[in-house]
Amino acid sequence: MKLQVVRFSLVGLVNTAIGYGIILAAMLLGAGDYLANALGYGLGLSAAYLLHRRFTFGQPWGADRAEAVRFTITAALSFCVNLAVLRAAREAGFVGHPLAQLAAMTAYSVSFFILAKSWVFLRARQVSR
């Protein structure tokens, strides 16, 4: 479990750097909080799936459609958590603030790990028992 959290974190750092870079660039180009956030997460989704399924959760077999759908749903649900945190930050007066984006990204990551481990990569969980 600890190694899996470390691997998840490493993939997350790579994805966060990419996503946060896209978010900041979009905001500098005039995009609002929500659009910038959506671009950052949307563009990183495919890379995240491939890295998490192989590196984080060690899936040795090919991906199947059900797993990809569960991953996409997990990303969408986690993104909703992200947006809820971003909205709360905006209502607290942090409109367009980079730290609000970081708080939202953290909430996304925690919810994503829980769902990925318990629901998305079922075969990895079943094999490790």
Side-chain angles (χ1 to χ4, degrees), residues 8-9 11 14 19 34 43 49 52 57 59 63 98 106 110 114 126:
F8 182 85
S9 298
V11 170
V14 169
Y34 292 117
L43 294 173
Y49 176 64
H52 280 307
F57 296 100
Q59 302 285 45
T106 299
V110 170
I114 291 167
Q126 291 166 348

Side-chain angles (χ1 to χ4, degrees), residues 12-13 18-19 26-27 31 38-39 44-45 53 64 71 73 83 86-87 90 103 105-106 113 116 118-119 126 128-129:
L13 286 174
I18 293 167
M27 288 173 66
L39 289 170
L45 191 59
R53 83 173 310 280
D64 62 34
F71 185 87
I73 291 169
L83 290 177
L86 188 59
R87 180 173 179 180
R90 289 172 57 93
M105 292 168 87
T106 299
F113 179 79
S118 64
W119 186 53
Q126 291 166 348
S128 67
R129 287 185 178 187

Side-chain angles (χ1 to χ4, degrees), residues 58-84:
Q59 302 285 45
W61 41 81
D64 62 34
R65 185 174 204 180
E67 180 185 273
V69 168
R70 288 191 306 269
F71 185 87
T72 303
I73 291 169
T74 292
L77 291 172
S78 298
F79 188 68
C80 288
V81 170
N82 171 292
L83 290 177

